[in-house]
């Protein structure tokens, strides 16, 4: 299947795409102010690109369960210096992880080529910004918002709901003049989903291929990996790799990850197995 990325057309076949995560986090501001926060994020982005990231995803607001929203001015102040310094100097496409139209518009003006919206372009102003650009759009599923989503983690028919949701979002974006070829779908692991929901999504991910759009999986170091393994965030690499490999087998081709080098190797092996020519029986 084809994925439009600005003027480029990517052929999404067997090769995985790795999206390296760069958080411009408040902690990095605490000791040295915004300059140091931006410096650390830029260094991290370069490091992930060197490790083999195909895209870099920059986010200025944590969307962890219970996380409080960040005012738009603060989010702009976090991501703008990073985008200003990175966009012209890094060879890989930059994605902005935001659901705020002002942040998306600023990021596009500074060279971002992908809009990653964890609310699936719920805000009509985000639809407008997207329609006025040639950006690739990552449409993620979530119910409620990060502060309240835990209360929304109830489903009668989880995969059916995801399919209805994505169908509705694709229709809305296409009506706004956006070509389907620009759209990526993401089931939103951990967003208004409990353990059983996250595991069921991985089991049945292939059912979301009905739309003929690439699937993105974001499970790196997430709570679900900790629930299964008993590990805290720093010990979740092996579990995250297992989930990525299973997701690959079920059709995911874009992976939002913290550990680019390790995920690249794990998925290289998964791809080699999936595409190896059959050998004659002895
Ligand atoms: N998960 C997080 C943030 N953005 N975007 C997409 N498309 N898919 C995801 O699964 C996804 C996302 C989780 O963010 P957070 O908990 O803030 O931490 P981190 O950015 O370190 O993953």
């Amino acid at each position: 299947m084809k994925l439009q990325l600005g003027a480029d057309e990517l052929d999404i076949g067997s090769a995985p795409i790795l999206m390296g995560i760069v958080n411009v986090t408040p902690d990095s501001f605490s000791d040295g102010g915004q300059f140091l926060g931006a410096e650390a994020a830029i260094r991290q982005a370069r490091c992930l690109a060197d490790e083999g990231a195909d895209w870099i995803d920059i986010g200025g607001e944590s969307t962890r369960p219970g996380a409080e929203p960040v005012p738009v001015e603060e989010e702009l102040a976090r991501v703008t210096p990073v985008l200003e310094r990175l966009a012209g100097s890094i060879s890989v496409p930059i994605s902005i992880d935001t659901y705020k139209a002002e942040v998306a518009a600023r990021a596009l003006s500074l060279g971002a080529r992908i809009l990653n919206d964890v609310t699936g372009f719920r805000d009509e102003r985000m639809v407008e910004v997207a329609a006025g650009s040639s950006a690739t759009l990552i449409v993620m599923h979530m119910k409620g918002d990060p502060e309240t989503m835990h209360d929304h983690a109830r489903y009668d028919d989880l995969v059916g709901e995801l399919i209805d949701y994505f169908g509705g979002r694709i229709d809305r974006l296409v009506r706004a003049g956006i070509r389907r070829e620009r759209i990526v779908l993401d089931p939103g692991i951990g967003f208004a989903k409990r353990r059983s929901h996250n595991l069921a999504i991985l089991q049945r991910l292939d059912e979301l291929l009905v739309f003929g759009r690439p699937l993105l999986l974001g499970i790196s170091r997430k709570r679900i990996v900790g629930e299964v393994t008993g590990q805290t965030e720093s010990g979740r690499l092996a579990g995250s790799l297992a989930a990525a490999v299973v997701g690959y087998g079920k059709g995911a081709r874009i992976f939002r990850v913290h550990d680019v080098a390790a995920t690249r190797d794990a998925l290289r092996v998964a791809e080699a197995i999936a595409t190896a020519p059959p050998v004659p029986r002895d």
Side-chain angles (χ1 to χ4, degrees), residues 249-271:
K250 290 282 181 180
R253 287 295 177 270
I254 308 172
F255 299 83
R256 181 181 180 275
V257 297
H258 302 88
D259 304 286
V260 169
T263 313
R264 160 101 23 241
D265 277 358
L267 291 177
R268 270 191 183 138
V269 174
E271 183 188 5

Side-chain angles (χ1 to χ4, degrees), residues 21 23 61-64 97 116 118 138 140 186 189 191 216 218 222 256 258:
I21 301 170
N23 287 314
E61 172 177 337
S62 172
T63 44
R64 267 147 225 263
D97 186 347
N116 175 20
V118 296
I138 299 170
M140 201 194 81
D186 177 349
I189 297 290
F191 287 86
L216 185 150
K222 278 193 179 161
R256 181 181 180 275
H258 302 88

Side-chain angles (χ1 to χ4, degrees), residues 48-230:
L48 294 181
D50 287 346
E51 281 185 34
D54 300 287
W55 301 347
I56 297 291
D57 189 40
I58 295 173
E61 172 177 337
S62 172
T63 44
R64 267 147 225 263
E68 281 183 30
V70 172
V72 65
E73 296 74 26
E74 175 63 22
E75 195 176 327
L76 281 170
R78 290 180 187 181
V79 300
T80 302
V82 179
L83 291 164
E84 277 172 349
R85 302 252 321 272
L86 267 189
S89 69
I90 200 163
S91 58
V92 298
I94 290 177
S95 154
I96 180 77
D97 186 347
T98 191
Y99 55 87
K100 297 192 186 82
E102 294 86 346
V103 178
R106 172 81 61 87
L108 290 172
S109 75
L110 292 172
R113 298 172 66 192
I114 300 159
L115 298 179
N116 175 20
D117 184 348
V118 296
T119 68
F121 296 82
R122 184 190 295 171
D123 180 351
E124 278 296 307
R125 292 176 313 142
M126 274 299 277
V127 176
E128 235 173 80
V129 171
S133 77
S134 62
T136 298
L137 312 179
I138 299 170
V139 176
M140 201 194 81
H141 173 269
M142 159 165 61
K143 292 206 286 194
D145 52 51
E147 237 179 330
T148 64
M149 61 190 175
H150 203 63
D151 306 329
H152 293 270
R154 279 183 299 270
Y155 300 87
D156 289 331
D157 170 14
L158 173 63
V159 174
E161 252 190 63
L162 288 175
I163 289 175
D164 285 351
Y165 170 83
F166 286 130
R169 296 323 299 155
I170 292 172
D171 281 353
R172 175 67 198 100
L173 294 168
V174 167
R175 263 193 291 119
I178 292 161
R179 296 178 60 217
R180 290 174 68 94
E181 287 72 16
R182 286 170 55 192
I183 298 173
V184 170
L185 305 177
D186 177 349
I189 297 290
F191 287 86
K193 282 136 198 137
R194 298 180 198 279
R195 174 189 167 123
S196 58
H197 302 134
N198 292 313
L199 297 175
I201 287 172
L202 270 158
Q203 268 181 356
R204 297 177 56 187
L205 199 62
D206 50 340
E207 295 178 41
L208 301 179
L209 289 168
V210 285
F211 297 103
R213 300 312 309 139
L215 300 180
L216 185 150
L217 187 64
I219 194 166
S220 176
R221 299 186 190 172
K222 278 193 179 161
R223 180 189 292 185
I224 175 64
V225 178
E227 283 170 348
V228 175
T229 60

